[in-house]
Amino acid sequence: MTKYYAICDCDNCYVSCERVFRPDLERKPVVVLSNNDGCVVARSKEAKLLGVKAGTPYYQLKQLFPDTHIEVFSSNYELYGELTGRVMAIIRDMAPQCFRYSIDEAFAILEGIDGEQLQQWGRDLHDRVWRSVGIPVSIGISTTKTLAKVASHFAKKYPGYDHCCLIDNDEKRIKALGLYDVGEVWGIGRRYAEKLERIGVSTALDFAGHKVEWVRMMFKNIVIERTWNELNGIDCVPDDLPARKKSICTSRSFDGMVGDFDTLRTHIANFAVRSAEKLRKQQSVAQVVGVFIDSNHFREDLMQYGNMADKTLLTPTSSTIDIVMAATDCLRSIYREGIMFKRAGVLLMGVVPQGAVQPDMFSYDANRHGRMTRMDSAVDHLNRVGGTETVILSSQQYPGGKKFADAIRHDHKSPCPTTRWSDIMVLK
């Protein structure tokens, strides 16, 4: 029996999460902003129809749409992560095998199901997620992951599919690829899409119709060749996606500018903590900690400066304290007084699985490593149960007792009723 893949994707994920506790927002234009309320990163269908573009600066919304009320929300990743986690739990329960691809997408591997049963499985999944979580999902099903992504596009775009599109034969595949822009194909980035369009390849079918020898000659890229195979029904993308990240970066542009070392150090400590949490989440450790800082290049009236430093650790680690200490040392070596900084970040490199570590025989302290591991596990657990930043390092706290969440501008942030006791909804 044929093996099928289903991609399960939350529709307009961030907006849908905001609407779960605000049903009055249905059929209204809604946008979600980036960190520090900078620009639009998510739009409802109604906002897209108005002409709101992704990346539109927040301050321009009223200028561009003076006669329209648009509901605006600051990013609330705590809420989005918790609600999408519930969606993923339902997918895991209904699929024989599955793996999460991103915050709002998961691949399910379907074997032993065929024909109309596949489409019914997708519709049942949509109905259960909608009843249990309140988030709409679209499901694309086909014999390869890339074709499943194509099917998902049509499931979102055309209501007639009833939230689930199935591409299970060559006739459907050819018809779908002929209607699918080559720049939208999973695995073909903007640069390659521009190259293809310059030589007259505008649809996925145009690309899939070429011979594999042509693809090899034009691109010399295994990912592009793999995409070509997938579009032609040859399953070759590994089932264990996504792979562990080989590097992890946490960075922000500041709300305003930062000149003093102590405030900059606090930002760096928070970035380092979040990077360490990401490491532990994928069960990895890092060998190198890097820090970069940059001034505001749009302010030509100010002195300009940018720099980066990194530090190699004797033994790779995911310890929050060790990574924060290394990041602070890096910052200290590149900080310059008199510069107003606009952006900074922490980069972890040399990332490997935690079981593949060769400790340094002269500096490794097994007892200290055990204590650090237990402490990090306890802090991670408390922050999961009590909400982000329930427990923090003293170096993460800004002057006046502010935490990282308070230091980021989020004037339109919604509550977190599923993760914080203080935000539990009160029914009247």
Side-chain angles (χ1 to χ4, degrees), residues 68-124:
T68 305
H69 178 68
I70 300 174
E71 292 284 348
V72 176
F73 289 91
S74 303
S75 296
N76 188 346
Y77 297 115
E78 186 175 342
L79 176 68
Y80 309 153
E82 205 279 330
L83 290 180
T84 55
R86 297 184 182 204
V87 174
M88 298 302 153
I90 293 172
I91 296 171
R92 284 193 292 270
D93 185 55
M94 289 189 63
Q97 301 177 63
C98 75
F99 56 90
R100 192 167 186 166
Y101 174 63
S102 67
I103 186 173
D104 63 341
E105 291 177 290
F107 277 107
I109 303 171
L110 306 176
E111 294 183 275
I113 309 175
D114 221 332
E116 292 183 4
Q117 289 180 313
L118 285 166
Q119 207 146 15
Q120 190 57 51
W121 179 88
R123 289 166 180 163
D124 290 344

Side-chain angles (χ1 to χ4, degrees), residues 226-270:
R226 184 187 288 170
T227 298
W228 180 90
N229 280 312
E230 289 257 322
L231 291 175
N232 282 287
I234 303 167
D235 177 21
C236 58
V237 172
D239 287 348
D240 59 352
L241 286 175
R244 287 185 175 92
K245 293 180 179 178
K246 301 297 177 64
S247 63
I248 290 174
C249 181
T250 304
S251 64
R252 295 284 188 277
S253 292
F254 305 133
D255 179 22
M257 289 183 284
V258 176
D260 65 288
F261 178 80
D262 289 340
T263 302
L264 196 58
R265 179 180 58 186
T266 306
H267 280 296
I268 291 298
N270 278 292

Side-chain angles (χ1 to χ4, degrees), residues 16 19-20 22-30 46 130 134 136:
S16 295
R19 282 174 165 170
V20 168
R22 289 285 307 276
D24 58 302
L25 298 178
E26 289 295 330
R27 298 185 177 84
K28 293 181 180 179
V30 181
E46 296 78 10
W130 179 250

